[in-house]
């Protein structure tokens, strides 16, 4: 007993007990910390250190999720364990950012009926909103985009882009909103077509496009939310010009994207002049904000003016254009028209027309809000419609007799309706090169497509620009030109500090 008692009272036992207690305490602390950390959202536990901020969400998405007031269900249709970790992590971030978003994984192998229930293939996301009963599907290949350009030559398929944020933000906005817009693209004047990248952004903003020829397709469709003529090089017919002016004057929205051409487009010019805008004859040269590598004042960065049309872009944002013409504005706005310029040159710019040079400020983007005249159906049209319908003299007499009784009521109703009519709008851009793929694909740090989408969506009060470009998955080198703060910290600062400390310790030991 004395030996046992001595064993438990010895200094060695006390030191060992203390060490064992410390170990148990540390293990307990680690377990508790792991439990606490595991319950935290991924937005706090996972730091995005990728060069392109692959797993982070931007301000547009944050605003969308903050304003979300409807529940959104995301069903991941894929075999268990086969979902790309990047997609899993991104979905986790979305669900952490909003309590209205829920994510559920459904294995089609264990539950084959899910494919027919949702009408999709495996490796898809089904985004639904019970409140609106709207649903949309996102294929995994639309999130992780592959490059097949080298497949037929070397059998190589490489990852090109990660579009998780753009696809999910667009899907959530679509299922929770009723604001799907229809854009008609004018044809018949040798107009250009939007690039694939721009069409993708338009679709992400929940807009659809369809071609429309004013001469062959008849009157402008009633479901037209915006009519666009993109870089026409042939002029409007007189009837087309009249129809376009009537459309705008009666609340229609139109957008003309002019291209620098030597062709005469008198009727397009006349439409612009009607609302106080005048095209320049010469090309615009900007000697103070030109692209230095291009070594030409015709390739320059326009001034982004202080206007809501430009969204969040500021004068520090860069937009690059090339070989464009400009506009001047009437000194006095036409009656019933309010002009809002949003893109311009500096006052040091020149209009170059042959040997003639005119210095001054030129506008590259202007929006004209037009007072709704409410004259879509004239008295002549009404009379012709009555005659076509076969109204005889008796019917006309009866209508005249009833007119006296209803005139006052109709006039009151008409006045009330006119007061509530939305104004028309004509937006003119003279910089078609702003959305030229030769520019947008070559410069990753410019805001050309963002600016264009801001201008496009500014036509609608109930639509925001939520078009988010995909993020590149191409290999990038760890150069200071492309590193973020976290990359700089872990790749440069911490290793440098450790090297200095190691060198100092080594010197001290050498001297000891």
């Amino acid at each position: 007993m004395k030996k046992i008692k001595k064993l438990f009272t010895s200094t060695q036992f006390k030191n060992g007990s203390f060490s064992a207690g410390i170990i148990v305490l540390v293990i307990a602390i680690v377990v508790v910390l792991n439990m606490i950390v595991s319950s935290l959202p991924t937005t706090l536990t996972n730091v995005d250190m990728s060069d392109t901020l692959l797993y982070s969400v931007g301000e547009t998405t944050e605003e969308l999720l903050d304003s979300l007031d409807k529940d959104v269900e995301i069903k991941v249709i894929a075999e268990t364990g086969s979902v790309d970790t990047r997609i899993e992590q991104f979905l986790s971030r979305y669900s952490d950012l909003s309590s209205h978003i829920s994510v559920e994984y459904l294995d089609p192998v264990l539950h084959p009926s899910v494919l027919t229930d949702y009408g999709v293939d495996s490796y898809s996301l089904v985004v639904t909103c019970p409140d609106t009963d709207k649903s949309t599907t996102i294929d995994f290949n639309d999130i992780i985009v592959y490059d097949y350009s080298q497949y037929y030559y070397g059998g190589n398929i490489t990852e090109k882009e990660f579009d998780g944020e753009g696809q999910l933000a667009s899907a959530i906005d679509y299922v929770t909103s009723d604001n799907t817009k229809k854009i008609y693209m004018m044809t018949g004047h040798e107009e250009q077509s939007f690039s694939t990248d721009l069409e993708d952004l338009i679709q992400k903003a929940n807009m659809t496009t369809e071609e429309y020829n004013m001469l062959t397709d008849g009157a402008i469709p009633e479901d037209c939310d915006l009519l666009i003529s993109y870089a026409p090089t042939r002029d409007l017919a007189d009837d087309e010009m009249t129809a376009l002016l009537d459309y705008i004057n009666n609340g229609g929205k139109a957008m003309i994207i002019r291209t620098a051409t030597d062709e005469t487009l008198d009727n397009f010019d006349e439409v612009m002049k009607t609302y106080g805008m005048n095209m320049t004859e010469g090309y615009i040269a900007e000697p103070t904000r030109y692209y230095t590598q291009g070594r030409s004042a015709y390739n320059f960065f326009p001034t982004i003016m202080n206007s809501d049309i430009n969204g969040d872009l500021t004068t520090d944002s860069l937009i690059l254009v090339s070989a464009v013409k400009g506009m001047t504005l009437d000194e006095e706005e036409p009656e019933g028209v309010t002009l809002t310029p949003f893109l311009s040159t500096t006052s040091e710019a020149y209009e170059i027309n042959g040997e003639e040079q005119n210095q001054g400020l030129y506008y590259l983007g202007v929006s004209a809000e037009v007072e709704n005249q409410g004259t879509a159906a004239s008295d002549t049209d009404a009379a012709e419609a009555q005659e076509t319908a076969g109204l005889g003299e008796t019917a006309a007499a009866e209508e005249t007799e009833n007119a006296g009784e209803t005139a006052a009521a109709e006039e009151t109703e008409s006045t009330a309706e006119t007061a509530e009519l939305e104004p028309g709008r004509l937006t003119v851009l003279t910089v078609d090169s702003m959305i030229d793929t030769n520019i947008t694909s070559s410069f990753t740090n410019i805001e050309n497509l963002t600016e264009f989408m801001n201008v496009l969506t500014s036509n609608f009060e109930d639509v925001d620009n939520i078009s988010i470009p995909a993020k590149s998955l191409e290999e990038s080198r760890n150069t200071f030109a492309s590193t973020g703060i976290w990359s700089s910290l872990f790749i440069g600062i911490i290793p440098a500090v450790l090297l200095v400390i190691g060198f100092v310790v080594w010197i001290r030991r050498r001297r000891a």
Side-chain angles (χ1 to χ4, degrees):
M1 290 297 294
K2 289 182 179 181
K3 290 183 178 181
I4 296 175
K5 185 177 180 180
K6 184 178 180 181
L7 178 64
F8 281 101
T9 57
S10 64
T11 303
Q12 185 177 3
F13 179 80
K14 291 180 180 179
N15 291 337
S17 300
F18 179 78
S19 299
I22 292 297
I23 293 173
V24 171
L25 180 61
V26 170
I27 292 174
I29 292 174
V30 170
V31 171
V32 172
L33 285 176
N34 279 333
M35 293 175 63
I36 294 174
V37 171
S38 63
S39 64
L40 294 175
T42 55
T43 51
L44 298 178
T45 58
N46 293 333
V47 178
D48 188 357
M49 295 176 59
S50 60
D51 290 333
T52 56
L53 299 178
L54 198 65
Y55 308 107
S56 301
V57 298
E59 292 183 4
T60 301
T61 299
E62 290 181 350
E63 291 175 1
L64 174 66
L65 297 181
D66 287 341
S67 61
L68 196 61
D69 57 359
K70 299 181 180 70
D71 291 337
V72 176
E73 301 173 354
I74 302 177
K75 311 288 185 182
V76 185
I77 314 297
E79 191 174 343
T80 303
S82 64
V83 181
D84 191 291
T85 55
R86 291 168 293 187
I87 296 178
E88 286 184 332
Q89 187 169 343
F90 205 82
L91 289 173
S92 180
R93 282 183 177 270
Y94 257 66
S95 61
D96 289 339
L97 287 170
S98 176
S99 59
H100 288 284
I101 295 180
S102 62
V103 179
E104 181 181 1
Y105 288 80
L106 300 176
D107 190 335
V109 176
L110 300 177
H111 309 283
S113 62
V114 299
L115 298 179
T116 55
D117 291 343
Y118 292 102
V120 297
D121 296 326
S122 294
Y123 303 104
S124 301
L125 301 181
V126 179
V127 183
T128 59
C129 177
D131 292 344
T132 61
D133 200 29
K134 293 178 67 175
S135 174
T136 188
T137 304
I138 306 172
D139 192 279
F140 279 18
N141 288 329
D142 292 330
I143 298 177
I144 300 178
V145 183
Y146 292 88
D147 183 3
Y148 294 91
S149 60
Q150 299 299 319
Y151 177 75
Y152 294 104
Y153 299 98
N156 297 323
I157 301 176
T158 57
E159 294 180 344
K160 182 181 179 181
E161 296 173 331
F162 182 82
D163 197 18
E165 183 178 8
Q167 293 291 338
L168 278 174
S170 175
I172 292 172
D173 181 68
Y174 169 75
V175 300
T176 57
S177 172
D178 296 324
N179 298 327
T180 302
K181 301 298 182 181
K182 187 69 172 288
I183 298 174
Y184 280 89
M185 304 294 299
M186 290 181 63
T187 61
H189 315 97
E190 296 185 1
E191 283 98 343
Q192 296 185 34
S193 299
F194 286 155
S195 66
T196 302
D197 290 340
L198 186 54
E199 283 284 0
D200 289 343
L201 292 177
I202 291 174
Q203 291 179 8
K204 286 179 181 178
N206 296 317
M207 302 180 185
T208 59
T209 60
E210 184 176 326
E211 290 187 349
Y212 165 69
N213 189 310
M214 194 176 293
L215 290 179
T216 61
D217 296 337
I220 298 174
E222 292 183 0
D223 64 344
C224 177
D225 295 304
L226 180 64
L227 183 65
I228 297 179
S229 178
Y230 172 33
T233 54
R234 293 181 62 184
D235 203 10
L236 292 165
D238 291 344
D239 290 343
E240 289 181 299
M241 180 184 69
T242 301
L244 180 57
L245 289 172
D246 287 343
Y247 173 70
I248 297 171
N249 290 336
N250 289 281
K253 295 179 174 62
M255 190 170 177
I256 301 175
I257 307 167
R258 298 294 295 266
T259 186
T261 176
D262 294 330
E263 297 293 329
T264 301
L265 304 179
D266 290 336
N267 284 341
F268 272 109
D269 291 342
E270 186 61 32
V271 170
M272 294 172 54
K273 289 178 181 178
T274 302
Y275 304 113
M277 295 175 273
N278 309 284
M279 282 291 293
T280 61
E281 294 183 3
Y283 290 77
I284 301 300
E286 177 62 271
T288 60
R289 287 175 59 87
Y290 69 94
Y291 174 51
T292 55
Q293 298 299 320
R295 298 181 180 179
S296 171
Y298 294 107
N299 306 322
F300 62 93
F301 301 97
T303 300
I304 300 175
M305 304 179 71
N306 184 19
S307 170
D308 292 339
I309 294 175
N310 294 319
D312 295 332
L313 297 186
T314 65
T315 53
D316 295 329
S317 303
L318 295 179
I319 297 172
L320 179 61
V321 299
S322 175
V324 301
K325 294 186 177 183
M327 290 180 284
T328 59
L329 304 182
D330 291 347
E331 292 184 3
E332 294 186 7
E333 295 177 342
E335 185 178 355
V337 176
T338 302
L339 294 175
T340 304
F342 55 89
L343 207 61
S344 72
T345 67
T346 67
S347 58
E348 304 297 321
Y350 288 87
E351 176 200 357
I352 311 295
N353 187 19
E355 296 182 357
E356 183 179 354
Q357 298 184 9
N358 299 308
Q359 186 179 17
L361 175 71
Y362 296 95
Y363 297 101
L364 309 176
V366 178
S367 177
E369 186 174 285
V370 183
E371 182 179 337
N372 195 321
Q373 298 179 7
T375 57
S378 65
D379 295 336
T380 303
D381 294 335
E384 291 176 354
Q386 290 175 2
E387 183 177 352
T388 303
L391 289 176
E393 296 180 358
T394 302
E398 291 176 353
E399 183 172 344
T400 303
E401 182 179 350
N402 294 331
E405 300 176 358
T406 60
E410 288 178 351
E411 184 176 356
T412 303
E413 182 179 354
S414 175
T415 303
E417 289 179 353
T418 303
E420 297 176 357
L421 290 176
E422 291 187 3
R425 183 168 179 171
L426 174 64
T427 302
V428 179
L429 281 167
T430 65
V431 285
D432 66 307
S433 59
M434 183 172 73
I435 52 177
D436 189 330
T437 53
N438 292 325
I439 294 179
T440 58
S441 62
S442 301
F443 300 87
T444 58
N445 59 334
I446 59 176
E447 303 285 355
N448 287 32
L449 293 180
T450 300
E451 167 67 359
F452 183 79
M453 289 304 300
N454 285 339
V455 175
L456 191 68
T457 55
S458 69
N459 285 280
F460 315 108
E461 294 182 357
D462 53 354
V463 175
D464 294 321
N465 180 15
I466 60 164
S467 300
I468 302 170
K471 298 176 181 178
S472 175
L473 288 176
E474 295 179 359
E475 276 190 40
S476 59
R477 301 185 180 277
N478 291 321
T479 59
F480 285 102
S482 61
T483 56
I485 183 172
W486 290 105
S487 298
S488 300
L489 178 64
F490 286 95
I491 295 174
I493 298 175
I494 292 179
V497 171
L498 292 177
L499 284 174
V500 170
I501 293 174
F503 183 75
V504 170
V505 172
W506 177 72
I507 289 295
R508 287 181 177 179
R509 289 180 177 178
R510 289 271 297 178
R511 292 176 178 176

